[in-house]
Amino acid sequence: MKTRTGLAFLAPALILFGVFVLYPMLTAFSYAFYEWQGTSRQGFAGLSNFSALVNRAPFKTDLPRALLHNVLFFLGTMLVQNTIGLTVATLLHRRARTRRMLQTLYAMPYLVSPIVIGYLWTLLLSPTFGPVNQLLTKIGLEQFALPWLGDPKTALWVVILVSVWQWVGFPVLLYGAALGGVPEELTEAARVDGASHGQVFRRITFPLLVPAIGTVSVLTFIFAMEAFALPFAFGGSTGNPAGSTDFVSLLFYRSAFDSGAVDAIGTSSALATVLFLIIFGGAMAATKVLRRHERRMAS
Amino acid sequence: MTTTLTSADAAPADAASTGTGPRRTRRRRGRGANDPVGGAGASILLWGYAVLALAPLVIMVLNSFRTNADFITNPLGLPTSPTVAAYEEAWTVGSFGTYFANSLTVTAGAVAISTAVSTMAAYGLARGRARIFRWLESLFLSGLMLPIHLAILPVFFLFDGFGLIDSRLGLALMYAAAGVPFSIFVLTTFFRQLPEELEEAAVLDGANAWQTFWRIMVPMVRPALATVAVFRFVPIWNDFLYPLVLLRSESKYTLPVGLTNFFGENATNYSALFAGLVITTIPLIVLFLFATKQIVAGLTAGMSK
């Protein structure tokens, strides 16, 4: 194909992607380095917007707390989701008849909007009329019929567990696919040599699953750092109760659109830049580690 | 159809999800080693987890067919005399009819635009030989993992400049652009797998580049188009931040924002809330029932780096 013809085919996508994704993405960074008076851009501000994130209210108190919640969200999701995902995928492996059906059922909640999921669980966990507490009371577990979402000590963990519940079908699917790629000659030979199921899993299957686990980790990291809609549905834009479900994206939304501060655009852009660097840096570092592992396995 | 998807990465996914291929032949000679792990206990666990995954959604649907008074007196009850009153209330009083139409217009428009421009671009990338094509391809692919929600402020001002604030068209264009990297990523691999003899024959018959593309190549990648369209539909339908920031008038709200609105004003009208949740979810469930294959293929296509 001639280069000119090829470029003509590319033009519409390039224009759309350039105008609505690349250009905003690039200017987002520049916003953070200027002084702002409302919507009018003033002089170059150096790093003063960034220092405001450390020194000034509300960032001084809210940002470390929100960041901690993002990290807990990531770690909690990783731990629970990978444990369930690996266990379920291993148990599903070789169940040729029911696997497809079960995988499909597990993936169903993934389809539903995080906003719907958040409101649905708010209704289910409502202290007075919520079916969950009603059920707990009915089967004699009154001591667990608590206002889980109303208590700042438990609300974050409800958000994390609900998120795991929604997304677990994804690792089940990916780990299932990766397990299907483990050559059975290897595991069979090890079994013939007298290795137990546990040994086969630890020494052969698990190392071969590491790339899939890595992919899930990177995607979970990005997902956890960007968390917005689900916590919004649970605790509104302020992370109720008492900021216990606040996340960096919520703080960004508040400072950009709700704060009314004169330099809101500058500081919130600085916050977006920091969050971008965390996401991008974390994802790049993890990918690098993974590549190294893959090379080691290949050699 | 998954067999044609992204060569190396989807191959194990396909073997795993269909259960055909080498496994069948091995089943005969493997004794014990190939039995399902965990036996009957594991079966109970797996089905138990399936119940856990679905129960909240089932409860949501069941309660949407009850009256509010019925729900409050017995939150654990079943819809013994099912009624659609909650749906009527949500659809008209709660404006869910309007929100639904908005969501459908924006999502369908975005998916159509995105798939159209991406198919053209993917064909260009798959067949272009010059170095600039490799460079453009990595530019598009770099967008795969961009957290585009963080660019909401510049997008807001861009839209302000174009007069696209509070516009459903603007929202659709935004989503269409956001879907370009994934669509190009999947479609390019498909086009690359098609033999070039096809086009050479078409050119000999006197077809120009556009005719070759439209008459010969596009029909060949139809399964991939379905995957891309179906898989993009879900996140656009569910997105919350962009309509929250870019739309102003209630008559233009999409379902997630409309739902938030309704939830704020009717926090104790449980049955209508459940109905609203079901209305927001039902198109995706329908989509899922008709296109499970495409959605599963899309999920595993995302795993290849």
Side-chain angles (χ1 to χ4, degrees), chain B:
Chain B
M1 63 134 301
T2 35
T3 37
T4 36
L5 187 73
T6 54
S7 55
D9 292 298
D14 188 55
S17 53
T18 53
T20 53
R23 176 158 307 126
R24 278 280 146 76
T25 49
R26 264 192 215 101
R27 170 149 294 182
R28 262 175 277 125
R29 47 189 177 89
R31 263 174 257 70
N34 277 340
D35 290 341
V37 184
S43 292
I44 294 169
L45 213 68
L46 289 171
W47 285 103
Y49 194 78
V51 170
L52 190 68
L54 291 189
L57 301 177
V58 173
I59 293 173
M60 168 177 91
V61 175
L62 289 180
N63 283 321
S64 67
F65 288 108
R66 304 169 68 193
T67 64
N68 202 39
D70 186 19
F71 176 78
I72 287 174
T73 41
N74 179 17
L76 286 175
L78 293 168
T80 38
S81 47
T83 159
V84 290
Y87 283 94
E88 282 167 2
E89 194 180 352
W91 192 261
T92 53
V93 184
S95 313
F96 273 84
T98 315
Y99 305 150
F100 190 90
N102 290 338
S103 270
L104 204 59
T105 321
V106 169
T107 311
V111 168
I113 298 169
S114 176
T115 311
V117 300
S118 302
T119 312
M120 288 174 60
Y123 179 58
L125 288 174
R127 291 297 188 247
R129 298 257 173 274
R131 178 175 289 179
I132 186 168
F133 292 103
R134 301 291 77 74
W135 188 82
L136 285 173
E137 188 174 2
S138 37
L139 182 75
F140 280 124
L141 294 191
S142 73
L144 268 180
M145 289 205 174
L146 275 185
I148 53 160
H149 281 128
L150 292 180
I152 186 78
L153 270 173
V155 167
F156 183 84
F157 288 114
L158 186 76
F159 275 42
D160 205 28
F162 287 165
L164 284 174
I165 294 286
D166 202 22
S167 147
R168 282 161 289 198
L169 173 69
L171 196 59
L173 286 174
M174 182 65 231
Y175 288 138
V180 162
F182 176 80
S183 312
I184 286 188
F185 166 68
V186 172
L187 291 166
T188 310
T189 32
F190 265 83
F191 277 121
R192 288 223 167 95
Q193 286 165 356
L194 299 178
E196 298 200 27
E197 286 79 17
L198 282 171
E199 289 137 287
E200 284 159 16
V203 171
L204 284 180
D205 288 345
N208 63 29
W210 176 256
Q211 286 168 329
T212 313
F213 167 73
W214 186 244
R215 300 259 178 81
I216 315 279
M217 302 310 278
V218 171
M220 306 276 300
V221 294
R222 213 176 276 153
L225 292 179
T227 300
V228 166
V230 165
F231 199 67
R232 282 301 305 158
F233 193 94
V234 181
I236 299 176
W237 182 270
N238 287 341
D239 188 64
F240 177 60
L241 178 66
Y242 277 116
L244 179 70
V245 171
L246 299 176
L247 297 178
R248 288 287 162 77
S249 35
E250 221 170 284
S251 62
K252 290 176 182 166
Y253 280 177
T254 57
L255 281 165
V257 187
L259 192 60
T260 307
N261 206 29
F262 187 69
F263 216 88
E265 290 164 6
N266 302 275
T268 52
N269 194 350
Y270 295 97
S271 53
L273 287 172
F274 279 118
L277 295 175
V278 174
I279 292 172
T280 311
T281 308
I282 219 73
L284 298 179
I285 301 291
V286 172
L287 190 74
F288 192 67
L289 293 178
F290 282 103
T292 316
K293 232 181 198 170
Q294 278 77 11
I295 288 180
V296 171
L299 273 171
T300 39
M303 87 191 264
S304 38
K305 295 134 269 178

